[in-house]
Short mmCIF file of all heavy atoms in Angstrom, two decimals:
data_model
loop_
_atom_site.label_atom_id
_atom_site.label_comp_id
_atom_site.label_asym_id
_atom_site.label_seq_id
_atom_site.Cartn_x
_atom_site.Cartn_y
_atom_site.Cartn_z
N ASN A 982 -13.54 41.57 -3.30
CA ASN A 982 -14.76 41.50 -2.51
C ASN A 982 -14.43 41.06 -1.09
O ASN A 982 -14.43 39.88 -0.76
CB ASN A 982 -15.77 40.56 -3.15
CG ASN A 982 -17.14 40.71 -2.50
OD1 ASN A 982 -17.25 41.12 -1.33
ND2 ASN A 982 -18.18 40.36 -3.22
N ARG A 983 -14.09 42.06 -0.29
CA ARG A 983 -13.59 41.75 1.06
C ARG A 983 -14.61 41.07 1.94
O ARG A 983 -14.26 40.22 2.75
CB ARG A 983 -13.12 43.03 1.74
CG ARG A 983 -11.83 43.47 1.15
CD ARG A 983 -11.33 44.74 1.75
NE ARG A 983 -10.42 45.31 0.76
CZ ARG A 983 -9.56 46.26 1.04
NH1 ARG A 983 -9.48 46.76 2.23
NH2 ARG A 983 -8.76 46.71 0.11
N ALA A 984 -15.86 41.47 1.81
CA ALA A 984 -16.89 40.89 2.66
C ALA A 984 -16.99 39.39 2.40
O ALA A 984 -17.08 38.59 3.33
CB ALA A 984 -18.22 41.57 2.42
N ASP A 985 -16.94 39.01 1.12
CA ASP A 985 -16.98 37.60 0.76
C ASP A 985 -15.80 36.85 1.31
O ASP A 985 -15.92 35.75 1.85
CB ASP A 985 -16.92 37.45 -0.77
CG ASP A 985 -18.32 37.47 -1.39
OD1 ASP A 985 -19.28 37.71 -0.63
OD2 ASP A 985 -18.43 37.31 -2.62
N LEU A 986 -14.64 37.46 1.13
CA LEU A 986 -13.41 36.81 1.57
C LEU A 986 -13.41 36.64 3.09
O LEU A 986 -13.02 35.60 3.63
CB LEU A 986 -12.18 37.61 1.12
CG LEU A 986 -10.83 36.95 1.38
CD1 LEU A 986 -10.74 35.53 0.79
CD2 LEU A 986 -9.70 37.81 0.82
N MET A 987 -13.89 37.68 3.77
CA MET A 987 -13.95 37.62 5.23
C MET A 987 -14.83 36.46 5.68
O MET A 987 -14.46 35.67 6.56
CB MET A 987 -14.45 38.93 5.81
CG MET A 987 -14.40 38.95 7.33
SD MET A 987 -15.21 40.38 8.09
CE MET A 987 -14.05 41.65 7.81
N GLU A 988 -16.00 36.36 5.04
CA GLU A 988 -16.93 35.30 5.37
C GLU A 988 -16.31 33.94 5.07
O GLU A 988 -16.45 32.99 5.86
CB GLU A 988 -18.26 35.51 4.62
CG GLU A 988 -19.30 34.43 4.84
CD GLU A 988 -19.48 34.00 6.32
OE1 GLU A 988 -19.39 34.85 7.23
OE2 GLU A 988 -19.69 32.79 6.55
N GLU A 989 -15.61 33.86 3.93
CA GLU A 989 -15.00 32.60 3.53
C GLU A 989 -13.93 32.14 4.55
O GLU A 989 -13.92 30.98 4.97
CB GLU A 989 -14.36 32.80 2.15
CG GLU A 989 -13.84 31.51 1.51
CD GLU A 989 -13.46 31.74 0.05
OE1 GLU A 989 -14.23 32.42 -0.69
OE2 GLU A 989 -12.37 31.26 -0.35
N LEU A 990 -13.09 33.09 4.96
CA LEU A 990 -12.04 32.75 5.93
C LEU A 990 -12.65 32.40 7.30
O LEU A 990 -12.25 31.46 7.96
CB LEU A 990 -11.04 33.90 6.08
CG LEU A 990 -10.19 34.20 4.83
CD1 LEU A 990 -9.37 35.49 5.02
CD2 LEU A 990 -9.27 33.05 4.48
N ALA A 991 -13.66 33.18 7.70
CA ALA A 991 -14.31 32.93 8.98
C ALA A 991 -14.96 31.55 8.98
O ALA A 991 -14.93 30.84 9.99
CB ALA A 991 -15.35 34.00 9.27
N LYS A 992 -15.54 31.18 7.86
CA LYS A 992 -16.22 29.89 7.78
C LYS A 992 -15.20 28.73 7.86
O LYS A 992 -15.47 27.72 8.51
CB LYS A 992 -17.04 29.77 6.49
CG LYS A 992 -17.96 28.58 6.46
CD LYS A 992 -18.87 28.58 5.28
CE LYS A 992 -19.66 27.26 5.20
NZ LYS A 992 -20.32 27.11 3.90
N ILE A 993 -14.07 28.91 7.18
CA ILE A 993 -13.01 27.88 7.27
C ILE A 993 -12.62 27.67 8.73
O ILE A 993 -12.57 26.52 9.24
CB ILE A 993 -11.77 28.28 6.43
CG1 ILE A 993 -12.09 28.26 4.95
CG2 ILE A 993 -10.59 27.35 6.74
CD1 ILE A 993 -10.97 28.77 4.04
N VAL A 994 -12.41 28.78 9.44
CA VAL A 994 -11.99 28.68 10.86
C VAL A 994 -13.10 27.99 11.70
O VAL A 994 -12.82 27.10 12.48
CB VAL A 994 -11.66 30.09 11.40
CG1 VAL A 994 -11.48 30.06 12.92
CG2 VAL A 994 -10.40 30.64 10.72
N ARG A 995 -14.35 28.44 11.46
CA ARG A 995 -15.47 27.88 12.22
C ARG A 995 -15.57 26.37 12.02
O ARG A 995 -15.75 25.62 12.97
CB ARG A 995 -16.75 28.55 11.69
CG ARG A 995 -17.79 28.80 12.73
CD ARG A 995 -18.79 29.88 12.27
NE ARG A 995 -19.40 29.67 10.95
CZ ARG A 995 -19.45 30.60 10.01
NH1 ARG A 995 -18.95 31.81 10.20
NH2 ARG A 995 -20.02 30.36 8.85
#
Side-chain angles (χ1 to χ4, degrees):
N982 192 335
R983 286 179 202 197
D985 272 5
L986 186 55
M987 185 188 284
E988 177 45 37
E989 188 170 315
L990 294 173
K992 190 173 173 193
I993 291 174
V994 170
R995 215 160 52 229

